[in-house]
Amino acid sequence: MNPHRRSPLVLVTAFFVYFFLYAPIIALVVYSFNASRANVKFEGFIPSFSERVVTEGSLVKSSPCGPFHWYCDLAKNREVIEAAKNTLTIAFTATTIATIIGTMAALALQRYDFKLKPFSQLSLYIPIVIPEIVMGIGILTLFSQVFGWMNNAFSLSGDSRWTMGLGTVIVSHIAFMVPFVTLVVQARLQGFDKSYEEAAMDLGANEWITFRRVTLPMILPGVLSGALLAFTLSLDDFVITFFTNGPGSTTLPIYVYGLLRRIITPQVNALSTVWILVVLAAVLLLQIVQGRESKQHS
Amino acid sequence: MTSEFAVEMRDVVKRFITPEGNEMAAVDHVTMKIRNGEFFSMLGSSGCGKTTSLRMIAGFEWPTEGEVYIEGKAMGHTPPFQRKVNTVFQSYALFQHLTIYQNVAFGLEMENAKEDEIKKRVGRALDMVQLTGMDRRKPKQLSGGQQQRVALARALVKTPDVLLLDEPLGALDLKLRKEMQLELKALQQQLGITFIYVTHDQEEALTMSDRIAVMSKGKVQQMGTPVEVYERPANKFVADFIGESNFLEGKIKSLTRKEASVFIPGLNAEVTGMPISEGLAKGEEVVVSIRPEKVRLVEKGALKMNMFRGKVTNTVYIGADTHIYTEVHGVKLKVLEQNRISRLDPKSFYTVGQDVSLLLMPENTLVLKKD
């Protein structure tokens, strides 16, 4: 018997794994073309193009965008655009700052010995293991306390008052991202021989040039993976954002949650589809960049 | 050149805290004066302090006590990038993300050299180590020996006063290592740069060095030319570490200004007429040391002075030489004979159980203090 023959069990397992991974996504995409406004059952694609939107009960009969009706609908939705802008602003800002802090922390933990080092290392896991909702409430309590004191102490009122908003969301995102970045970069640093840095210094590079020309390029794949992980976590985050956002800082997950409480139209599916495409594109881009780099290195 | 000595270590101590919290002296009051243009080796087994000493010269570590001088200047806490020494690392430490050209050019860019000058000097350095045309490859695309040459070129392109080499040939196979030993020596003589070479391989140190510092437990046991450390080891450690030695324990029976006679209880006899070193006293417990290749085997004939009857217990043929293990009154002595004639004929060979006489020529024996 051929020892390499696949057991039917492998095929069955594979089928279920892929089914549960991808079937919901496929359904989601298909439903974004649903003619039914109620979006409970798939009622077929929107059949035709027309000058105006024609509806019949809860069914859309024709639309200027044809089957892409809900995408056009989405593009006209100012709230969605605003939420997308917020989401990206938060993700980019928080990722940049968290990547810098996280990388610095990883380097410090690798090269220095200090008294509280075991505690520092352990404390990295705390934001990862504690329930997000606990962290969210914690951050909310902290912000409202501190803001209360500040507003009182400086007797601020009206627009100059410290309130929840983009700033608080960004800070709280940084807080939960840093440990992820640090752990990913630490994993990369494990195999990093300090003699590379010594060699650079030996050849006349000071500490900063050594970091910029040698250390950073060598650990860059780790830093990028850490940043990407942090970025996707930020795009996705609902719980912490829910507790720390305020007027003008609604993100896409928060917006979708709000929609769901009112009415679910295929617009939500259209939004999710666009979202998936964006994230997919980002991941592919990173893969290409990393692939090119590792090819250069080997 | 401002100083006679390229590098000087004056009473240098380096202490580390072990993970258990104890203090340990990796380098323990080491004083070395390394002359300009010298090929100087630090030889010892791992943990003897040789690499730590080299790292203190490079500036990667700072002495706990004492001072390192380069070209007569006290180094203090001068960082590595301000010292006119360059290092070839054991792991080569080539920058994996840069090409060979960029690796070699790195040090010159740090000096803000002009681009056309960098190009010229990198080209020359790569020619010197016979890597012409490899400049656009990445380190991983080269063999171990080639990477080693890149590391060498990268350090030498800076035209340092002193080149530090930390077991640079350790990762190469034996044949390539032997070739590189001769090449390195030739390169050093051609450039006239001081080389400080760290190795645990005694043969390597003997092959290349002008002088060797034999180190153990953070201390310099002996400093001298290859001939000196081999022929006149300062103590039992050096005699044992470099090459092989037979050691016979005994007591000084008589002592003149030049010679000593030692009674060896194991042989129940006296070895006489041996040259002595300083600081020995009559009645002192000592060790008589003789190299296996310096013991003479005599098959027949009357016993003379310093000649003892023994038996062959084993022979090992290893191509160029034969090791003959003998026993004299229960004392084991190893003898090494060169196979100057073919050993194919078993009659030309010693057989196990054969009676032999061993001659310890006094001028080839040493009287060493007991450790």
Side-chain angles (χ1 to χ4, degrees), chain A residues 19-201:
Chain A
F19 182 79
F20 285 111
L21 269 178
Y22 293 115
I25 296 175
I26 293 165
L28 180 111
V29 174
V30 171
Y31 271 62
S32 73
F33 298 100
N34 200 348
S36 163
R37 169 180 280 285
N39 210 16
V40 182
K41 234 172 82 191
F42 189 69
E43 303 277 3
F45 297 102
I46 297 164
S48 61
F49 294 87
S50 62
E51 285 279 324
R52 291 172 147 215
V53 181
V54 181
T55 55
E56 194 185 291
S58 71
L59 288 189
V60 179
K61 280 289 167 198
S62 65
S63 146
C65 303
F68 295 95
H69 169 72
W70 300 112
Y71 291 87
C72 291
D73 219 27
L74 188 69
K76 279 182 271 179
N77 188 335
R78 284 172 167 272
E79 286 175 22
V80 168
I81 308 293
E82 187 61 34
K85 237 199 292 183
N86 283 339
T87 308
L88 290 177
T89 309
I90 293 162
F92 274 115
T93 317
T95 301
T96 308
I97 298 171
T99 304
I100 294 169
I101 298 174
T103 304
M104 283 177 10
L107 286 168
L109 284 168
Q110 188 221 14
R111 59 186 65 181
Y112 302 118
D113 254 322
F114 46 94
K115 246 189 192 152
L116 289 176
K117 187 169 168 176
F119 171 76
S120 303
Q121 183 66 47
L122 200 67
S123 71
L124 283 177
Y125 294 99
I126 293 172
I128 296 174
V129 295
I130 64 163
E132 227 188 316
I133 193 157
V134 175
M135 197 167 158
I137 295 170
I139 294 174
L140 172 67
T141 317
L142 179 78
F143 277 135
S144 50
Q145 281 292 328
V146 171
F147 287 178
W149 288 331
M150 301 276 271
N151 292 334
N152 266 334
F154 300 104
S155 28
L156 302 170
S157 64
D159 278 351
S160 58
R161 283 169 62 90
W162 292 63
T163 55
M164 300 300 220
L166 273 184
T168 49
V169 178
I170 290 172
V171 170
S172 59
H173 278 212
I174 293 170
F176 79 74
M177 282 172 165
V178 165
F180 287 98
V181 177
T182 305
L183 290 173
V184 171
V185 176
Q186 265 188 321
R188 175 81 192 184
L189 280 174
Q190 254 354 197
F192 188 80
D193 190 347
K194 72 175 173 186
S195 64
Y196 293 117
E197 289 176 334
E198 286 177 350
M201 299 235 239

Side-chain angles (χ1 to χ4, degrees), chain A residues 230-251:
Chain A
F231 187 76
T232 49
L233 285 172
S234 170
L235 284 184
D236 275 0
D237 185 72
F238 175 77
V239 181
I240 287 176
T241 315
F242 180 78
F243 283 103
T244 51
N245 77 352
S249 62
T250 302
T251 62

